[in-house]
Structure formats: C-alpha cells, structure tokens
Amino acid sequence: MPPSRYSNSPEALVVGLARTGNRDAFAELVRRRQSWIRNLMLRCCGDTTLADDLAQKAFLQAWRKIAQLRQPRTFGAWLKRLAVNTWLQHLRRNDALSHTGEQDHDIRADTSGMSIDLDRALAMLPNDVRLCIVLSYHEGMTHPEIAALTRLPQGTVKSHIRRGTQRLQQLLSAYGNTPHAEERR
Amino acid sequence: MTDNTADPRLQTLFAEAQQELVDDAFTDLVMEQTGNFKHRKTAVRISQGLVLVLALALLAIPLQDAGMALTQVLLMSLIELEDGPLNQLLAPANSIGGLLSTVLLGLRLIHKRIFS
C-alpha cells in the first residue's frame, strides 16, 4: 500500500474525513493505531493470531460506527472501548469468563523473551483479572476508568489488580527474569 | 497510573514488552473487510427494497379493501338522526371514529395528569 496522503495530517482531521466515509482516511487511522490495538489485544489474549483477528474486528466496528463519533479528538479512547468490548464479546462467545485462563496459549510470533514470559504469566490469570491488569499496566488507566470501561464495580477492579499484581510477581519470579529475580541476583 | 497498588517494576516490564506491530498487510486486510461490509450493506438494502416493493404489490388490494372497510366502520353513526343541518353538524362527534378519538384524548389527559 503506498504512503497515505494523510500521513502528515492531524488525527482529528483524519477522523473527521473518515466519518464522512473516506476510506483512505480510515486506512491512515488503521496504520497509525494498529500497533497500539494489536499490542493491547495481544496482552489480553496472549495469542498473536487471535490478537490480530480481534484487532481487525475492533477496526471493523470502528468503521461501522465512526459516523456516530461526535468528537474526533476522543477517537483513541473510543477505539480502545471498542477493542475492549470486542475482547469481552469474544470471551462471552467462548463462555470463557467463567473459566480461569489456564489454557495453552500460542505465543509463537514473539520476538522478546520478556514479552513471552509476561504473556505466559498473564495467560495464567483469570480473564477478568487479566483484563484489569492489562488496562492498568499496559494502558495506564486508573481504577475508576477501568471500572467504567469494563462495567465492573470499582472495588472489584481494585481487588483484581491487587491480586493480579501479586500473582504476576510470583509467576514472573518463577520464570526468573522479573525485577524480583533481578533483585535477588 | 495514579493508583497506589501499581507496581512500578511491572509497569516497566509491560512497557518493555511493547512491540512495534505495524504492517501494510494488516491495514490491507482491515480495508478489504470494510469493503466487503460496504457491499454487504448495499446488498441488504437492495434486498429490503425489493421485498418492500413485492409486499406492496401483493398487499395493495387487500390493504385498500381493509382501509375502506375501516373508514366505513369509523363513519358509522352512533345515534341515527334525520338528514339535515343538525346531522351534518354533529356528524364528526356522532360516529365511532369520534367516540374513539374522544376516548383516546381522555386517556391521554389522564395519563398526563398521573405521570407528569
């Protein structure tokens, strides 16, 4: 695909054009935001193929609904909400919310050992705990923001993050390359 | 992150695990799907239009008959009056349609009084 004519345009302008059905503008938004959304989905599911599939679904939802987006400046937050909803829908469809994430996860296309260990450790957390952890550590969201996005009570979010953090610290220590392990060296 | 439960070392680990995932193949795939969606949407709209036209063609005569029958029922007088100016004056109220309109207006007023 050749470089987009909008590659140097401000995002709000590109979003405004995409809202009118301009496909080139939307392609530029996909180019700009794909790494962020694919990483977010990868941290959620731990599987590169599934992560890309979910990211595509999120972008497709964005294309379908972008005309409803009132404020182009909120595109990032809006896209993140769509991505998280796509992940939650995937969990619901697979009836996975009731299970802990102890399945084998495919982490083949990864390049960094640290990422592999992190994704493996994340895969061992229950799905709702993992989502809260990812939104907190990966996205830097606050507890009230996570509660609003996931529609979980704020107290639940807080306890998920506390438990998830403790579990991750244990798991990553077990892999031997966490900051805890480094401290011991 | 502003919450005090955050572990700064885990934050660093998450930041370092970020990969640069940008490729044109992904963009192409998404845009191909948006194109498919657009075609599907057009096809659905055309199908809906065809079904509507077909339904109207098939139901036009029965609907017209039903409409005429309903009009006749609504225009039926409640009290038989002799033809004359009084009958013409009271015709809108002295009919099933008039009665129904009065009942509906009354119900609406009661609804407003109770719920507003």
Side-chain angles (χ1 to χ4, degrees):
Chain A
M1 189 175 276
S4 160
R5 75 182 97 158
Y6 303 118
S7 53
N8 295 321
S9 306
E11 187 170 86
L13 178 71
V14 183
V15 172
L17 288 168
R19 283 180 64 203
T20 64
N22 185 323
R23 288 170 53 81
D24 288 345
F26 189 74
E28 175 59 26
L29 292 174
V30 176
R31 246 178 240 116
R32 288 186 191 185
R33 296 290 192 163
Q34 63 171 277
S35 185
W36 172 48
I37 295 296
R38 290 167 77 184
N39 267 295
L40 173 61
M41 292 291 100
L42 182 57
R43 293 289 99 80
C44 284
C45 72
D47 177 337
T48 47
T49 311
L50 179 59
D52 278 3
D53 193 32
L54 292 169
Q56 279 168 26
K57 280 183 184 166
F59 278 115
L60 195 60
Q61 281 289 315
W63 172 251
R64 290 170 69 175
K65 295 181 175 175
I66 198 160
Q68 298 165 19
L69 179 65
R70 298 271 167 97
Q71 299 195 337
R73 282 179 192 175
T74 61
F75 177 73
W78 179 75
L79 183 62
K80 179 159 67 182
R81 195 162 63 238
L82 288 181
V84 170
N85 283 338
T86 303
W87 169 239
L88 290 172
Q89 272 170 15
H90 169 80
L91 291 177
R92 272 196 289 273
R93 239 194 327 270
N94 293 285
D95 196 24
L97 266 174
S98 56
H99 304 107
T100 52
E102 287 163 1
Q103 318 93 309
D104 285 337
H105 285 260
D106 172 19
I107 314 165
R108 59 198 159 196
D110 214 317
T111 51
S112 94
M114 187 173 287
S115 177
I116 288 174
D117 285 347
L118 180 62
D119 286 334
R120 271 188 196 148
L122 281 169
M124 291 181 184
L125 300 177
N127 288 313
D128 42 359
V129 174
R130 189 191 323 151
L131 179 61
C132 291
I133 285 283
V134 170
L135 292 176
S136 176
Y137 285 101
H138 183 79
E139 288 300 311
M141 293 172 74
T142 61
H143 295 166
E145 286 170 345
I146 296 169
L149 186 59
T150 58
R151 297 193 190 97
L152 287 171
Q154 206 172 310
T156 307
V157 168
K158 199 172 175 178
S159 89
H160 279 350
I161 292 173
R162 192 178 58 246
R163 280 197 300 126
T165 299
Q166 287 167 357
R167 185 82 181 111
L168 271 185
Q169 285 165 345
Q170 289 166 2
L171 288 165
L172 290 167
S173 296
Y175 282 119
N177 70 345
T178 60
H180 280 227
E182 282 162 16
E183 277 172 10
R184 274 187 255 118
R185 282 179 202 148
Chain B
M1 183 160 42
T2 56
D3 305 293
N4 55 13
T5 49
D7 179 342
R9 293 163 300 183
L10 276 179
Q11 281 178 314
T12 310
L13 200 61
F14 268 87
E16 286 172 355
Q18 284 260 38
Q19 301 166 60
E20 186 64 16
L21 296 172
V22 182
D23 60 70
D24 285 344
F26 181 86
T27 312
D28 290 345
L29 208 57
V30 171
M31 294 317 293
E32 192 186 314
Q33 287 178 354
T34 60
N36 292 344
F37 170 71
K38 198 178 171 184
H39 293 148
R40 234 183 1 253
K41 204 169 154 186
T42 311
V44 166
R45 281 193 180 160
I46 290 171
S47 313
Q48 283 174 338
L50 285 173
V51 167
L52 191 69
V53 167
L54 196 66
L56 282 175
L58 287 172
L59 298 174
I61 294 171
L63 279 175
Q64 199 178 359
D65 289 348
M68 284 174 71
L70 185 68
T71 310
Q72 279 177 355
V73 169
L74 291 175
L75 288 175
M76 276 171 67
S77 300
L78 294 171
I79 302 160
E80 288 302 326
L81 295 170
E82 284 180 20
D83 282 347
L86 184 68
N87 186 18
Q88 284 179 7
L89 189 71
L90 295 176
N94 185 26
S95 65
I96 293 179
L99 179 70
L100 280 175
S101 305
T102 312
V103 169
L104 285 175
L105 277 172
L107 285 174
R108 197 174 164 217
L109 272 174
I110 292 167
H111 184 268
K112 268 190 174 177
R113 285 257 170 102
I114 295 172
F115 295 106
S116 62

